[in-house]
Amino acid sequence: MGAVEQMVRYVRRSAVTGGLSTAASSALARLGREGPVRLTDLARSEGVSQPSMTQLVTRLERDGLVRRAADRSDGRGVLVEVTAAGMDLYRTRRAERAAALEGLVAELTGPEQDAVRVALPALARVIQEPRTRPPVDNAREKHT
C-alpha cells in the first residue's frame, strides 16, 4: 500500500493553483462535490474540530471561495456553500490532479496502463458502494 500512498501524495501536491492548504483544498472539494452543508457537519466529515473548521471557513470566505448562508430548513442554522470562484478553483485543482495522474499513467508500459484503467474504476466503484466496512476515521488518518 506504500505505492498507493506515494501516488496519492504526488497527485495531491500537483494541485497548486490557489495556494490552498491540504485542509482547505479538502473542504473546498467536499463543498464542490456535495453542495452546501452545515459547518458542524463539514467539520465532522473532514475530521477536525468545529473551531478549526470555523477558522478555515473564515479564511475561505475572506478569499471569496465560500459563503455562509441561512439554512432554510432551520432559521438558526448556517450553511457553508461554495461560490462561483470557489467552484472554478475546485475544478482547476481537480484538472491539475487528473493531469498529474494521466502523466504518471503515460509513463507506464501498455499492459500496465491497461491494468490501471481497469483497476481505478473498480476501486472507485467499491469505495462508493455501501458496505458493512467500518467508516474511515479522517481524524486518525490525517495524523499518520
Side-chain angles (χ1 to χ4, degrees), residues 61-82:
E61 190 174 32
R62 185 179 55 234
D63 293 341
L65 302 174
V66 303
R67 70 177 148 256
R68 297 171 207 236
D71 184 347
R72 295 178 195 190
S73 66
D74 178 359
R76 302 168 307 188
V78 174
L79 296 175
V80 179
E81 59 187 18
V82 69

Side-chain angles (χ1 to χ4, degrees), residues 15-137:
V16 296
T17 300
L20 297 180
S21 67
T22 301
S25 179
S26 180
L28 185 66
R30 184 174 299 277
L31 292 167
R33 283 189 316 269
E34 299 175 11
V37 65
R38 284 177 168 263
L39 194 135
T40 53
D41 294 333
L42 183 59
R44 188 178 311 111
S45 297
E46 291 296 307
V48 300
S49 69
Q50 185 171 342
S52 293
M53 185 54 67
T54 298
Q55 290 177 348
L56 179 60
V57 166
T58 298
R59 287 193 304 272
L60 291 171
E61 190 174 32
R62 185 179 55 234
D63 293 341
L65 302 174
V66 303
R67 70 177 148 256
R68 297 171 207 236
D71 184 347
R72 295 178 195 190
S73 66
D74 178 359
R76 302 168 307 188
V78 174
L79 296 175
V80 179
E81 59 187 18
V82 69
T83 63
M87 276 306 288
D88 288 345
L89 181 57
Y90 161 65
R91 289 182 184 124
T92 297
R93 291 175 66 87
R94 191 170 77 183
E96 288 173 338
R97 290 189 303 270
L101 184 57
E102 288 171 7
L104 289 175
V105 171
E107 293 181 31
L108 301 174
T109 66
E112 289 170 332
Q113 288 180 13
D114 293 342
V116 168
R117 287 193 178 97
V118 169
L120 288 180
L123 286 170
R125 179 186 40 85
V126 170
I127 289 168
Q128 292 173 358
E129 288 177 355
R131 297 272 184 183
T132 57
R133 75 174 93 66
V136 173
D137 181 354

